[in-house]
Amino acid sequence: MVIHREPLLTADEVGILVSSAATAPSMHNTQPWRFEVSGRVVDVILDEDRSLPAEDQAGRMILIGLGAATFNLRVAAAMLGHDTTFATRPDPDRPEIVARVFLGVRQSPMPPLGSLYGELRRRHTYRGPMVAIDVQARVLSLISSAARAEGADLCWLDPSSTRDLVQILREADELDLHDEDRLTERGRWIGGDRLEDGVPESALGPIPAKPAAFRDLSAGFDDPQRSVGVFELEPRIAVLNTGENRPSEWLRAGMALQHALLTATSYGLVASFLNQALEYADLRSRVQSLVDRNARPQMIIRIGFPAMMGAATPRRPWQQTLAEWE
């Protein structure tokens, strides 16, 4: 019997997979990932040097970012014709490997996730005001379905809950301003001109003229020349929830987040994150009360149509993230 083996990945295919994974969002754009490719198996690896011990003490946000990168790998693999399966924490001897993605035999037509490939480089975090046009209920439902497909739920806040959330955000911002460790850590990643990682000043967005659903990452590093913007009065906000609050669920939340964001991007929508309200235990419990006492909030997402051009954050050359290729 003759066994026909499918060729291993070419250099171009490896480049497509790894560069696509690296378009994922991560807290402060630290890009906390490395990748190893062996045959048609790709390992997603935590890069501890890119963690945020002051602002992300439990490592929740770093795993959400790695989950988003894992989802992007699956999308790029689907575009290349490969269905994928994955395992989390696959090697007890190497806990830094958070996910292992297995590429199946190439097929035609491409698996459904491949339809999102065109959105990978269009999606970026937008920190400006939104236009006063509501998002159709059908589109919101599709975004919610995308999150559910990865094992998480989106709860869309009503106007009353949104007003309560804005107050919680203001309290979180005040706490941030008085936390020297956070401010010092943020200074490593935020502001200035950045070519490969972090959030450059050009991507911070304008300062709201009035209190708004917004996260000002430049807290403590104000630029007097930064513009001021009029933000929407009734923002559309969703809270991404999982059933449990443990590392495997954080990784799952990242996959759900990215599936939802890419779906939103396909309808011309943009998103920003309001996660300062989840970084303090007492404020996190108040956010939980706005959605469901049995839910575990993982991300707070503001979604809408952009009112201005928004600059994207940079990415490292993908070759720098490829730790090994066999």
Side-chain angles (χ1 to χ4, degrees):
M1 181 176 64
V2 177
I3 299 176
H4 297 283
R5 297 188 181 276
E6 187 171 357
L8 300 182
L9 297 173
T10 67
D12 286 344
E13 289 168 333
V14 170
I16 288 171
L17 291 169
V18 175
S19 65
S20 296
T23 65
S26 57
M27 187 174 183
H28 301 348
N29 191 32
T30 65
Q31 303 170 46
W33 42 65
R34 293 183 294 115
F35 305 96
E36 292 181 0
V37 180
S38 178
R40 286 188 283 124
V41 177
V42 183
D43 284 343
V44 182
I45 300 170
L46 165 65
D47 188 341
E48 288 280 4
D49 291 338
R50 293 176 171 269
S51 63
L52 297 165
E55 294 191 84
D56 183 32
Q57 295 181 16
R60 181 177 61 86
M61 290 303 301
I62 200 170
L63 283 178
I64 288 175
L66 289 163
T70 301
F71 184 79
N72 281 0
L73 266 175
R74 294 165 53 200
V75 169
M79 184 279 296
L80 293 172
H82 300 279
D83 212 344
T84 52
T85 56
F86 64 90
T88 59
R89 302 291 184 184
D91 188 343
D93 294 328
R94 295 191 62 192
E96 72 276 14
I97 301 176
V98 299
R100 177 166 288 165
V101 179
F102 303 89
L103 277 63
V105 175
R106 194 185 304 271
Q107 57 185 274
S108 181
M110 67 182 182
L113 282 184
S115 64
L116 293 173
Y117 180 77
E119 313 306 331
L120 290 176
R121 288 163 179 80
R122 288 182 58 214
R123 184 221 66 82
H124 69 270
T125 303
Y126 170 82
R127 299 178 178 86
M130 309 286 191
V131 297
I133 299 176
D134 202 8
V135 184
Q136 292 181 350
R138 178 183 69 87
V139 175
L140 296 179
S141 178
L142 290 171
I143 296 170
S144 295
S145 295
R148 276 197 304 275
E150 308 304 326
D153 289 302
L154 277 177
C155 175
W156 299 93
L157 299 186
D158 59 30
S160 175
S161 295
T162 298
R163 287 191 292 271
D164 290 343
L165 176 66
V166 170
Q167 177 57 40
I168 296 171
L169 295 174
R170 293 178 67 183
E171 293 178 36
D173 289 339
E174 187 66 23
L175 290 171
D176 277 358
L177 279 171
H178 294 88
D179 190 321
E180 290 297 329
D181 289 339
R182 284 172 174 260
L183 294 178
T184 299
E185 181 176 82
R186 198 175 296 183
R188 179 186 170 193
W189 297 101
I190 307 298
D193 296 322
R194 297 172 182 271
L195 300 178
E196 294 188 350
D197 53 20
V199 182
E201 188 174 332
S202 60
L204 290 174
I207 300 172
K210 297 180 179 180
F214 181 76
R215 182 169 203 178
D216 186 3
L217 292 178
S218 71
F221 307 95
D222 294 333
D223 179 355
Q225 311 223 338
R226 192 164 158 206
S227 63
V228 175
V230 178
F231 281 64
E232 66 275 20
L233 295 176
E234 297 182 354
R236 175 64 71 178
I237 295 176
V239 180
L240 180 72
N241 303 293
T242 57
E244 302 291 338
N245 194 36
R246 57 176 184 258
S248 60
E249 293 287 275
W250 302 340
L251 196 69
R252 179 73 67 175
M255 297 186 205
L257 170 71
Q258 190 65 350
H259 199 161
L261 291 177
L262 294 178
T263 301
T265 303
S266 72
Y267 287 93
L269 297 166
V270 293
S272 62
F273 307 118
L274 308 171
N275 297 315
Q276 66 265 47
L278 301 179
E279 293 167 15
Y280 298 92
D282 56 337
L283 299 183
R284 184 185 180 92
S285 66
R286 286 166 60 186
V287 173
Q288 187 175 5
S289 70
L290 296 178
V291 288
D292 184 338
R293 281 292 182 185
N294 295 318
R296 298 296 180 268
Q298 305 297 349
M299 297 286 291
I300 302 175
I301 312 163
R302 168 177 160 256
I303 287 180
F305 296 100
M308 57 183 287
M309 293 293 292
T313 53
R315 291 296 186 275
R316 289 181 288 161
W318 65 265
Q319 294 88 343
Q320 291 183 13
T321 69
L322 184 59
E324 185 175 311
W325 175 28
E326 296 179 359

